[in-house]
Amino acid sequence: VSTQSTGENRLDLIAQWVANKHLTLSCEIADLLLCDCQCRVRCDCESGTLALAVYRGVGNHVMSTNCLARQGALYRAVHYAKTHDLGNEKTTRFAQNYTVN
């Protein structure tokens, strides 16, 4: 994945590569996708969704929880954090950082 793929709005290619397992997933790829997100408040873009899929694929549960929260899915984020045993302290701190407006 290159910045050219994200810069030319070819997220469809990245989504296809992820879905068909033609891409070796890594946190670096997810970070690049997340940096491509331009959402100001609630993330509803394809970059954020793809970043979540990649973070989940590599087992980065902290960033997966963060992506869910950015999408406004706070209950899913807290449930995900508890399901993946991120610990009560991390889950509580996380929930305090994301308040519903």
Side-chain angles (χ1 to χ4, degrees):
V1 174
S2 67
T3 53
Q4 182 178 4
S5 297
T6 58
E8 292 181 1
N9 252 351
R10 293 310 314 254
L11 294 173
D12 58 320
L13 286 177
I14 299 170
Q16 186 177 12
W17 297 335
V18 170
N20 294 324
K21 298 184 169 94
H22 294 301
L23 183 66
T24 302
L25 303 181
S26 69
C27 284
E28 290 81 13
I29 291 171
D31 293 343
L32 178 66
L33 289 164
L34 201 56
C35 285
D36 189 56
C37 172
Q38 299 299 313
C39 300
R40 297 238 178 219
V41 179
R42 182 174 180 243
C43 176
D44 61 356
C45 69
E46 190 174 6
S47 293
T49 303
L50 285 171
L52 172 60
V54 174
Y55 283 129
R56 281 183 169 173
V58 298
N60 188 330
H61 303 306
V62 172
M63 287 305 295
S64 295
T65 303
N66 189 7
C67 287
L68 286 168
R70 288 174 55 130
Q71 293 174 352
L74 298 180
Y75 291 112
R76 285 180 49 210
V78 171
H79 176 72
Y80 185 92
K82 287 181 179 179
T83 302
H84 290 87
D85 200 26
L86 294 184
N88 287 333
E89 184 179 317
K90 276 188 181 179
T91 304
T92 302
R93 208 170 340 121
F94 166 80
Q96 289 170 345
N97 288 334
Y98 290 94
T99 58
V100 179
N101 294 329

